[in-house]
Amino acid sequence: MGFASDSILARGLIIDRATKFGLKNEAFGAKIVHCRAFGNGGKVKGKVRVEVRAAVQIGGLEEVKKAKEELGFDVVSEGELREKGFLGMRKTKLVCTIGPACCSMEDLEKLALGGMNVARFNMCHNTRGWHRDVIKKIKRLNEEKGFCISVMIDTEGSQIHVLDHGAPSSVKAEEGSIWLFTTQKSDGSSPFTVQANYKGFSEGIEVGDVLVIDGGMASFEVIEKVGNDLRCQCTDSGLFLPRAKFSFWRDGKLVERNYDLPTLSKKDWADIEFGVSEGVDFIALSFVNDADSVRQLKNYLYMRSCRSTRVLAKIESLESLQKLEEIVKASDGIMVARGDLGVEIPYEQIPTVQEEITNVCRELNKPVIVASQLLQSMVEYPTPTRAEVADVSEAVRQYADALMLSGESAIGPYGQKALSVLQMASSRMELWSREENRQSILHRLQLGVSLPDRIAEQICNCAVQMANNLGVDAIFVYTKYGQMASLLSRNRPYPPIFAFTRDNSTRMALNLQWGVIPILVDLSDDMEANISRTIDLIRTKGLLKTGDVVLVVSDLTPAHLNSTAFQSIQVKTVV
């Protein structure tokens, strides 16, 4: 195996400071099985660096003081580890949209137990008071029940393609029925009357044009224009969701209209301010057409000293596809909003576009969420179609970081069942991919510019290759801001990645990274002591057993310049 000259590799446990514990022929209370010294031939500040590398066995840790601290270990991940073992743990993260069908404490806890990693709040719906109340419930679950659920808000955007039929849940549009689409506001629900949120929604629309709901959920033909209103006849029956999005088509082509609206409206800025005050972990930005709007929001958050809030860009327009790479680089992650995207590009292109976006995000080391209509039939029915399960499995096969439920959890009566379908389908596909050795080939685009960043990147690339080749049970990474955990995730290793951090915002951000189990723990400046203590903590919880092998890396700045646990790879075996 070849390694770049600027990387520092230790094949085994580094023990040069074991004497600190007063242990002869031991490292952190574990007996040394064998030890060799190597000179890497590289020069550090004019001196040849020599490292001691050893393979050790961990066991009989009576010499190490029993730790009193508790690990901030998500109870769901802990339970999954006990039940399925390291290699059985699910890697793909699950996002649930929270709505009236799942906003009670009881329903939220069931979603949490079902594997929900991120709770998404669509700011198109409900009041800020409602959102505040439910966010508080989620934080209570985290604090009192030991869950680790991140919170995301999704901005409405300066979108004009929104219709509201006034009912709190979906209604069925029957073929042949006549509907009035108007900008006139009315209280409550008026039968067969739909309100558009933009006064000029019918400008340039002609009799005979086709109005399509949510990319094809239902279709209407314009039969009459009455002032700014449209009278339409349903030509394809289907579900009409609250606040549905719509488009107009003429002769089989999308009617393109340029409204020249900003990405962020006044309401969006108020919603963002609300999200900041509530301490949300992610803000998903709707209708992003270029990187400038992403940078604008990130600069605003930086000025507000909210660096811990990550900005995700939603790819849902032709313009965003044309500027995909610059948007991905500017953002902290991407959401593939397939419903809206499918309105602007031919639907047969969606699978390849989805894979392209996923690959670009992985190359640039940004998490990607595949969203919209994953299990759309489960808005109405308790079981998915087999085609929907195949669609979910394909997103997992493409190594998307996360899958997202929308109406299935927000308004559907079978949200918990839908989540269990995602959980089972993703776990099965991950297992099959590993058994078939279907590790996708990643063009390792060099991301780091500075030497330390390049070293960290090379270490993570090599660490994953070692972990897969050696068949280790888990990868342990000690991180402050999550950078090395993210680089490890980028390589999609077979074993799970346990990311230890003392920063809670880092922990919540890593909730969206493929294969990463973030654990909150009070780390010190002494890396060797951190490694010993965290392994002991996990061992005393019964989560490590004899024969388990873990690979260890770190991006924490060492307390001492000669610390060899920094920018190295270590392997440990439990006895």
Side-chain angles (χ1 to χ4, degrees), residues 316-360:
E316 50 192 335
S317 68
L318 187 60
E319 290 86 348
S320 62
L321 283 179
Q322 293 167 344
K323 299 179 180 179
L324 177 64
E325 190 166 322
E326 70 173 54
I327 292 173
V328 174
K329 287 179 178 178
S331 69
D332 298 312
I334 294 294
M335 183 188 295
V336 188
R338 304 183 306 175
D340 291 303
L341 193 57
V343 171
E344 302 217 357
I345 65 174
Y347 53 74
E348 68 271 14
Q349 293 182 13
I350 290 294
T352 53
V353 167
Q354 174 182 306
E355 187 163 19
E356 177 190 354
I357 297 171
T358 301
N359 289 339
V360 169

Side-chain angles (χ1 to χ4, degrees), residues 10 12-21 23 26-28 32 35-37 49-54 56 526 528 560-566 568 570:
L13 174 65
I14 298 171
I15 60 162
D16 62 333
R17 300 185 66 193
T19 52
K20 174 179 178 181
F21 293 85
L23 304 173
E26 294 182 349
F28 313 127
I32 300 174
C35 176
R36 299 172 63 192
R49 178 165 183 169
V50 178
E51 296 187 35
V52 177
R53 310 171 187 177
V56 305
D526 190 324
E528 286 83 358
H560 308 286
L561 293 178
N562 63 345
S563 172
T564 52
F566 178 60
S568 65
Q570 309 178 34

Side-chain angles (χ1 to χ4, degrees), residues 85-114:
F86 287 106
L87 295 182
M89 300 187 74
R90 172 175 48 86
K91 308 290 199 314
T92 308
K93 301 305 179 76
L94 305 179
V95 183
C96 296
T97 301
I98 307 302
C102 62
C103 61
S104 70
M105 184 68 83
E106 181 182 2
D107 287 332
L108 291 170
E109 184 170 358
K110 287 179 180 177
L111 290 176
L113 290 169

Side-chain angles (χ1 to χ4, degrees), residues 491-547:
N491 286 278
R492 302 302 193 252
Y494 296 150
I497 303 162
F498 290 82
F500 300 94
T501 181
R502 58 190 165 203
D503 186 274
N504 192 56
S505 63
T506 297
R507 181 196 187 199
M508 304 312 280
L510 289 175
N511 240 348
L512 206 53
Q513 294 277 359
W514 186 97
V516 176
I517 296 94
I519 299 176
L520 192 65
V521 63
D522 186 18
L523 300 174
S524 70
D525 291 331
D526 190 324
M527 265 312 306
E528 286 83 358
N530 286 332
I531 295 169
S532 175
R533 184 164 54 84
T534 51
I535 286 181
D536 191 38
L537 279 168
I538 294 181
R539 197 172 65 88
T540 55
K541 290 174 74 72
L543 300 176
L544 279 172
K545 64 181 186 299
T546 300

Side-chain angles (χ1 to χ4, degrees), residues 119 121 123 131 135 139 150-154 271-284 301 306 308-310 505 508:
F121 292 83
M123 301 307 290
H131 289 297
I135 289 173
K139 292 187 174 182
S150 302
V151 175
M152 174 196 300
I153 63 167
D154 195 324
D271 289 338
I272 289 167
E273 188 64 31
F274 164 81
V276 169
S277 66
E278 293 301 315
V280 302
D281 305 292
F282 301 100
I283 296 176
L301 294 173
C306 297
S308 60
T309 305
R310 272 63 173 185
S505 63
M508 304 312 280

